[in-house]
Amino acid sequence: MADLEAVLADVSYLMAMEKSKCTPAARASKKLILPDPSVRSVMYKYLEKENELEFHKIFNQVIGYNLFKDFCENDSEEPIQQFKFYEQIKQFEKTECYDERKKMAREIYDNFIMEEMLSHTYDYSKDAVISVQKYLLKNEVPVNLFEPYIEEIFSYLKGKPFKKFLER
């Protein structure tokens, strides 16, 4: 009985093969044709169509932030220190202990603000410096102490680094 079933299966298989030779269009499957060969260009066109290629939309998403950060740290032609500064500020804002926040504020000021001022490579406005110095001299460290710097970091990152990131 098993032999008979095997023969029937073979015959039906051979008949199906003969039938498919006669009608080649029937066996041709529908192929999905991508408009561009690279995934990057397809994704770029999709994001562009959906108006998702804006700095804040990419920066405020975890994957977009991590990709942009990786680009700035590893693939950028010139070193971009603003990400380290930004992350230190965010860590400062999350710190709840006042004494710890005072210590972090002083470290951030010394490592990012004062260091750039001394090396004359300072890209931030004097208003931001004065704002931070005013609070530090009073020995006050509100959570939003470095808020003016965040705006300036964003305005810098939105420019040349973000354009280069999108080109890559």
Side-chain angles (χ1 to χ4, degrees):
M1 190 70 166
D3 292 338
L4 183 61
E5 288 177 358
V7 169
L8 283 173
D10 289 341
V11 169
S12 61
Y13 174 75
L14 290 172
M15 288 177 65
M17 291 297 291
E18 273 302 311
K19 186 177 180 184
S20 69
K21 285 181 185 176
C22 297
T23 56
R27 71 183 155 106
S29 63
K30 216 175 194 180
K31 293 182 181 179
L32 178 64
I33 300 170
L34 294 175
D36 290 84
S38 76
V39 174
R40 183 213 172 277
S41 60
V42 172
M43 281 304 299
Y44 187 85
K45 285 181 181 178
Y46 170 77
L47 291 172
E48 194 174 45
K49 182 178 131 192
E50 297 293 318
N51 289 328
E52 295 289 324
L53 286 178
E54 295 177 15
F55 174 77
H56 287 290
K57 286 186 178 183
I58 290 176
F59 194 84
N60 291 330
Q61 294 178 13
V62 175
I63 193 165
Y65 175 83
N66 288 330
L67 287 171
F68 186 48
K69 178 183 172 190
D70 181 59
F71 169 77
C72 289
E73 290 177 346
N74 301 318
D75 298 334
S76 180
E77 297 161 2
E78 56 192 47
I80 299 173
Q81 298 297 320
Q82 282 78 1
F83 259 104
K84 290 179 186 174
F85 190 18
Y86 175 78
E87 287 181 338
Q88 287 290 318
I89 291 171
K90 285 300 174 188
Q91 189 175 3
F92 167 81
E93 289 175 348
K94 290 177 186 175
T95 304
E96 293 179 15
C97 177
Y98 185 78
D99 292 331
E100 211 171 297
R101 221 175 34 235
K102 271 173 64 171
K103 182 183 172 192
M104 283 184 74
R106 181 53 68 185
E107 287 175 6
I108 290 170
Y109 179 79
D110 290 343
N111 293 335
F112 294 100
I113 300 169
M114 190 57 112
E115 189 176 301
E116 282 200 13
M117 286 173 54
L118 292 174
S119 67
H120 301 292
T121 58
Y122 199 68
D123 293 329
Y124 304 108
S125 71
K126 292 186 184 209
D127 293 337
V129 177
I130 292 169
S131 171
V132 171
Q133 285 176 341
K134 179 180 74 174
Y135 283 109
L136 290 178
L137 288 173
K138 292 180 187 177
N139 218 11
E140 296 176 7
V141 284
V143 176
N144 64 347
L145 176 66
F146 296 104
E147 190 67 34
Y149 283 99
I150 289 182
E151 293 170 17
E152 292 189 28
I153 289 170
F154 282 169
S155 66
Y156 173 77
L157 291 175
K158 271 193 254 186
K160 189 176 176 183
F162 188 66
K163 288 176 185 159
K164 292 235 181 225
F165 170 71
L166 290 179
E167 289 172 4
R168 182 194 70 130

